[in-house]
Amino acid sequence: MVGDLGFSVVERFARNFRTLPNAGVAEQNMTGVAAGLASEGYHVFTYSIANFPTLRCLEQIRNDVAYHRVPVTVVSVGRGRGLWHLGYSHHAVQDLAMMRSLPEMTILSPADPGENPGVCAVARGTSVPIIPAARQGW
């Protein structure tokens, strides 16, 4: 599931899947829906600009994902100040600190881009909430 990403950002990627829901500017709803799908046996990946699927959705991640320990992987792009040109509202310098504070969250931090496929394989093969913490530009 993606939040408010379109205009040729995910269309090419979406062709590989039967469905790729776009929640629009409703990332908190995206996280709640992802938790619901995960509770029914799906492993759901959510994806958006770093501050939106993490900081904006903190309460939903805490209450719906981590507390129930459902397999939702929260993927973000532009961590830190990777999207500096969009202003402070798009910075995510506190996201990992907030996610680390939640019980049951697992943070996977690849050392370099070569480890990203392994991180994806681990995330896909587990039944716990995951935050892959790749740096911007990988």
Side-chain angles (χ1 to χ4, degrees), residues 35-124:
L37 289 168
S39 72
E40 291 297 314
Y42 295 94
H43 188 123
V44 183
F45 285 71
T46 62
Y47 175 77
S48 193
I49 295 171
N51 59 303
F52 298 114
T54 55
L55 298 175
R56 183 165 188 83
C57 299
L58 178 60
E59 185 176 8
Q60 287 73 26
I61 292 171
R62 182 191 69 177
N63 295 345
D64 301 341
V65 176
Y67 179 76
H68 295 286
R69 206 166 192 256
V70 293
V72 172
T73 299
V74 181
V75 181
S76 0
V77 64
R79 178 163 278 114
R81 291 188 58 228
L83 298 171
W84 62 270
H85 57 287
L86 296 175
Y88 189 70
S89 66
H90 284 62
H91 297 176
V93 293
Q94 306 92 348
D95 62 330
L96 290 181
M98 297 306 292
M99 295 300 112
R100 287 187 69 216
S101 72
L102 299 176
E104 307 301 337
M105 290 303 295
T106 300
I107 297 176
L108 302 177
S109 184
D112 59 51
E115 290 187 352
N116 286 343
V119 166
C120 290
V122 168
R124 254 192 347 259

Side-chain angles (χ1 to χ4, degrees), residues 8-25:
S8 302
V9 173
V10 295
E11 284 78 4
R12 187 174 53 116
F13 180 75
R15 289 186 213 130
N16 298 313
F17 297 93
R18 187 177 44 193
T19 122
L20 182 65
N22 188 333
V25 235

